[in-house]
Amino acid sequence: MENGITKILLKGGVVSLLTRVVGLVVAFATQVFLSRLLGAELFGSYSLMITWCMILTVFAKQGMDLTILKFSSGYVSKGDDSLLAKLLGFVSIRVFLALLISNLILVALYLFYPSSTGFQYINSVFWGGLLICGAVTISVIQSLFRSRKKLFFAQCFEQIIRPANVFLFLLLGLFLNIAFSPEVGIAFASLGVFLASLTGMALYIKKYGFNIDFYFSDSEKKEWSSVSRPLLVNSVFVQMLTYSPILIMGFLTADVEIAFFSVAVKLAAFISFGMVALNSISAPMIASNYRDGDYKKMREIARWSSRLAFCSGLVPAVILLISGDRVLLLYGEDFVIAYDAMVLLVFSGVVGAFFGPVGFFLSMTNQQIVYMKTTILTLAITVILSFVLVPEMGGYGAAMSVMIAKIVQNLICWILVFFKLGIDVSILGIKDFNRINK
């Protein structure tokens, strides 16, 4: 059994990891290219607008990407196209309404807080709305592909096609001698995302069709809502854990500090790419084995996914710690100052990889409410520390806030998974720790 689980994780993990490695390289090249074109201060303004769009995207998704992942894999395996069509109808209604609210929020940011949020021109509001719409569509399509075990298609549109599109638009802008600005940057970013979403949607419809049914029962709606609501809150707060310091910095510091912190966050993301990739494989397995009451398989999934993720993150961590200043130099000479902030974020990423996929284990085993509470607590820690540290320490203070909060969250979630499920999800995976007999 252990060899079977290992084989599945390795096979799926290799596809997922390779896809994400290629995507991270393309995204890295795109970010470096754009930072060079804009300079540190304007790149900070661009990063501020993108951050607002990312957070509003999470709100607009309404937790539906994870809801689809949790339910549709079972519907697909049973051949229940009727329930899948109803689930898509439910998702469409919720997402459409959330998209309207998200765009209204963008308009409000432009009207009341233009300088503190980056949305100083009405055209940036339009492009931000288009970006959110495209990002939500990609997320839903990728969850549908993942439920059908199409691992490459479940990631390539977001990880590869989107940043590649943006890179090509930047090249086109350079060829046409366009004057680059944060508004041009977000326009190219939104077009890249939107075209990637259309590509993903067209491919999915061609392969599987797209049946949708808006006539679902109250019991079905209640079941899906009971999962999606806490997942929505969790997703928003998880996103805020990393990016709330950027929003706070928009009100308290210069845009150049935002640029430094944003680059540090992007580079530190290389540490967690293995865990994110493996989570896309292990999440449906966790949910399925939990429904079957097979805790022994869940322990094996936890042990192998955490070890593989930790090993995959250790290599970029060492590279960044040794040569991070040279990597930052690619963005521009001004960005080398972000090295210390990057070190803190790299350390928090390594600690997170050590503890394993604690959040996914809670989310996929009907512990969404518990996970939501821990996320709210750690977000509160992040916000409080950011208000204290950012005014004096800038991007370094923001990185310290994120590091402390994430370590606290991982520790709390590890303890919760251990005592509620009897599973050690860290890289240790010591069987003697699994004292609860399930």
Side-chain angles (χ1 to χ4, degrees), residues 39-223:
E41 185 174 357
L42 293 181
F43 185 74
S45 300
Y46 164 81
S47 299
L48 185 57
M49 285 192 288
I50 289 293
T51 299
W52 277 104
C53 290
M54 290 173 65
I55 291 172
L56 289 174
T57 295
V58 174
F59 167 76
K61 287 191 293 188
Q62 291 287 295
M64 292 301 159
D65 51 337
L66 294 176
T67 303
I68 289 173
L69 186 60
K70 183 163 185 176
F71 288 102
S72 64
S73 56
Y75 299 158
V76 169
S77 63
K78 296 176 183 177
D80 197 338
D81 294 333
S82 175
L83 268 178
L84 180 59
K86 291 179 180 180
L87 174 60
L88 292 177
F90 172 74
V91 168
S92 300
I93 293 172
R94 289 282 297 272
V95 167
F96 177 75
L97 294 174
L99 282 171
L100 290 178
I101 296 172
S102 296
N103 280 274
L104 289 174
I105 293 174
L106 283 180
V107 173
L109 294 178
Y110 162 72
L111 292 175
F112 300 107
Y113 303 102
S115 60
S116 300
T117 61
F119 292 98
Q120 301 189 51
Y121 301 95
I122 190 62
N123 63 336
S124 61
V125 174
F126 169 79
W127 292 119
L130 187 65
L131 190 153
I132 294 169
C133 180
V136 171
T137 303
I138 286 180
S139 183
V140 170
I141 293 298
Q142 290 191 155
S143 292
L144 289 171
F145 272 119
R146 190 171 290 131
S147 68
R148 296 181 182 276
K149 297 181 172 59
K150 302 298 181 181
L151 302 180
F152 175 73
F153 293 119
Q155 297 180 81
C156 70
F157 302 105
E158 168 64 23
Q159 298 298 320
I160 298 177
I161 296 177
R162 178 194 60 80
N165 285 344
V166 178
F167 190 82
L168 291 174
F169 276 118
L170 291 175
L171 286 176
L172 179 62
L174 198 61
F175 176 77
L176 296 176
N177 200 27
I178 293 176
F180 282 90
S181 66
E183 289 71 36
V184 171
I186 196 171
F188 287 167
S190 64
L191 287 172
V193 172
F194 193 71
L195 288 177
S197 69
L198 291 180
T199 305
M201 182 181 295
L203 183 61
Y204 184 86
I205 292 174
K206 181 179 179 180
K207 290 176 70 69
Y208 306 109
F210 197 77
N211 296 321
I212 190 166
D213 185 357
F214 295 103
Y215 297 98
F216 41 82
S217 67
D218 289 339
S219 60
E220 290 164 343
K221 178 182 177 181
K222 183 177 180 181
E223 181 183 18

Side-chain angles (χ1 to χ4, degrees), residues 370-395:
V370 174
Y371 185 42
M372 178 181 69
K373 291 177 180 178
T374 64
T375 307
I376 293 173
L377 172 63
T378 49
L379 176 60
I381 294 173
T382 305
V383 172
I384 293 171
L385 288 176
S386 294
F387 273 110
V388 173
L389 300 176
V390 165
E392 295 295 328
M393 305 170 70

Side-chain angles (χ1 to χ4, degrees), residues 276-298:
V276 175
L278 288 165
N279 281 346
S280 66
I281 312 299
S282 61
M285 297 170 64
I286 295 168
S288 175
N289 285 294
Y290 179 73
R291 286 194 299 268
D292 296 338
D294 196 335
Y295 284 76
K296 191 173 183 180
K297 281 188 178 180
M298 290 169 64

Side-chain angles (χ1 to χ4, degrees), residues 226 229-230 234 362 366-374:
S226 66
R229 287 195 190 105
N234 286 336
L362 290 173
N366 294 334
Q367 302 295 330
Q368 301 97 325
I369 301 297
V370 174
Y371 185 42
M372 178 181 69
K373 291 177 180 178
T374 64

Side-chain angles (χ1 to χ4, degrees), residues 55 232-248 371-387 401-402 404-410 412:
I55 291 172
L232 164 63
V233 176
N234 286 336
S235 298
V236 170
F237 284 128
V238 166
Q239 192 83 331
M240 290 288 287
L241 278 175
T242 300
Y243 293 106
S244 60
I246 293 182
L247 306 185
I248 294 171
Y371 185 42
M372 178 181 69
K373 291 177 180 178
T374 64
T375 307
I376 293 173
L377 172 63
T378 49
L379 176 60
I381 294 173
T382 305
V383 172
I384 293 171
L385 288 176
S386 294
F387 273 110
S401 304
V402 172
I404 294 172
K406 285 196 171 184
I407 291 175
V408 170
Q409 183 189 34
N410 278 289
I412 292 174

